[in-house]
Amino acid sequence: MTVCAIEITTTAAFTIAADGSYAARLAGEGEARYAERWTLAGPEPYAVPLPLAQPEEADSEVLPLADGRVLIHRRVADRHAFALLYPTGAAAGPRTGELQLGGVDAQEGVRVRLLPPSPDGAGAFALASEDTVTTVWQVAGCPFGPRPVARIPGRCSGGVWLDRAGRMLALDRELEGTTKAVAVDLARGDVSPLLQITEDSDDLLLLADPDSGLLVIRSDAPGEPRLGWGVLGSARPVRFPECLRPADAHPFAAQPGQALMPETCGVALRLPEGDIGLWRPADRHVFRLGAPAGWLGGAGLWSPQGRLHLPYATPEVPCGLVGLNLPVSPPPPVRVDPPAAAPRPVPLQQAPL
């Protein structure tokens, strides 16, 4: 929630707000790049370019907020600068407004990148990773500029939200030779274990759905890197279905609204060949579908009704969405996938909320 000296890396070419209302990307090519906002909540999607007098660098990051503004992260001299962009009306035509939010000093050996959109739609966070410590910064939604909200020993990557309030964040922490997912309470700054299948395994969290509690993980506990699934706060073992054996498949969207029903929660996967995979834990197999031409950034938005919306841009359709339905599956065969050892850390439901 999915990175020399200081570097900025793009979280995704196309990022969708947590509520699905807006999306943003860095459009253009070469030295003529600019932020672009997509409106997704209406009957048809439409794009609004947000250019400024000076083009954006190719390594800038953009992230949509629920109010329609677009956060941009730039490397400016010796700082990581953050600003909000928004369209403004003018007599001579549309213009782009810009609100500077401040910045974070660029220190040698520190990697700074935006985290996925916060579920509350108002705040935004960035991850500053060093070899021995990682800092989570709130860069939007705070009154006096960027502020640190948590410091975690070890080098962290990933970033998956665990609740709808934007308080509990999962990070993959590399510490003492292994990588384990941990839960960070951003209100208190507390860090607690989240995944530990075996003591020596690398256990990464790739996707979480707060409604159903479904977790999709990648772990080498079975002897090789495999995708598996578990349930948030449960002591049940993590499962590694045979249908998810391709370790380089990547989940990018989960079906919301499946309250307390992780087995029926749909998951969209970007497959190694570029196709789309649709899967539910109850299915025990993956439906493979071709990706639409011009699919943007491996991104998608899943409705509670089971329809996956994929953004695409082509010369003929510069702003489009295509919908895929989650197929009805036949009854699963009577077969139980071998579980891994049960996770040992304190369940997340016991963390302070």
Side-chain angles (χ1 to χ4, degrees):
M1 134 66 118
T2 107
V3 9
C4 147
I6 307 159
E7 64 175 324
I8 300 176
T9 57
T10 303
T11 305
F14 189 92
T15 305
I16 302 174
D19 65 354
S21 55
Y22 295 99
R25 67 167 179 155
L26 200 63
E29 297 180 356
E31 298 182 356
R33 296 183 181 269
Y34 56 91
E36 182 178 76
R37 189 195 71 186
W38 287 33
T39 299
L40 305 178
E44 297 223 353
Y46 64 92
V48 176
L50 297 173
L52 293 169
Q54 183 172 343
E56 305 293 347
E57 298 291 336
D59 58 1
S60 297
E61 295 181 289
V62 293
L63 184 146
L65 301 185
D67 63 6
R69 295 181 295 178
V70 173
L71 175 73
I72 188 163
H73 167 210
R74 308 179 179 106
R75 172 68 187 275
V76 180
D78 59 350
R79 287 174 66 78
H80 294 275
F82 302 91
L84 291 173
L85 307 179
Y86 52 94
T88 63
R95 294 290 186 269
T96 301
E98 182 174 16
L99 175 63
Q100 298 291 336
L101 300 178
V104 176
D105 289 340
Q107 301 177 16
E108 185 174 357
V110 179
R111 172 193 175 194
V112 177
R113 64 176 179 85
L114 293 178
L115 287 166
S118 175
D120 67 4
F125 297 83
L127 200 65
S129 301
E130 306 177 45
D131 289 337
T132 59
V133 66
T134 297
T135 304
V136 179
W137 288 83
Q138 184 174 3
V139 297
C142 41
F144 303 110
R147 65 184 183 100
V149 293
R151 285 177 63 85
I152 306 103
R155 188 174 185 88
C156 294
S157 58
V160 177
W161 293 101
L162 298 173
D163 64 356
R164 295 294 183 195
R167 174 169 177 173
M168 300 302 296
L169 173 70
L171 297 171
D172 298 323
R173 178 174 67 174
E174 181 183 350
L175 189 65
E176 298 179 352
T178 60
T179 302
K180 306 284 186 185
V182 297
V184 183
D185 185 333
L186 298 183
R188 298 167 58 98
D190 295 341
V191 181
S192 58
L194 180 61
L195 288 175
Q196 183 169 298
I197 300 177
T198 68
E199 185 173 346
D200 299 325
S201 58
D202 290 328
D203 308 318
L204 286 68
L205 182 62
L206 305 182
L207 180 145
D209 176 62
D211 295 334
S212 65
L214 178 67
L215 304 178
V216 182
I217 72 168
R218 176 175 287 119
S219 174
D220 59 4
E224 61 179 347
R226 292 276 299 274
L227 292 183
W229 70 278
V231 180
L232 188 65
S234 171
R236 294 179 58 189
V238 173
R239 304 277 174 172
F240 294 93
E242 284 296 315
C243 65
L244 296 182
R245 181 170 285 276
D248 46 358
H250 187 79
F252 63 87
Q255 180 184 2
Q258 306 300 103
L260 304 178
M261 297 189 295
E263 292 84 359
T264 64
C265 181
V267 175
L269 302 156
R270 185 177 69 245
L271 301 179
E273 300 81 4
D275 291 342
I276 304 293
L278 303 181
W279 169 78
R280 285 174 294 216
D283 288 338
R284 299 184 182 275
H285 64 275
V286 175
F287 296 96
R288 181 183 291 265
L289 301 170
W295 182 33
L296 293 174
L301 176 67
W302 216 325
S303 71
Q305 295 74 30
R307 188 167 180 82
L308 177 67
H309 300 273
L310 301 173
Y312 70 95
T314 65
E316 297 78 19
V317 183
C319 176
L321 281 177
V322 62
L324 302 175
N325 288 320
L326 185 60
V328 176
S329 175
V334 180
R335 180 174 60 85
V336 177
D337 295 305
R344 292 187 296 175
V346 177
L348 185 63
Q349 62 188 18
Q350 297 182 19
L353 291 175

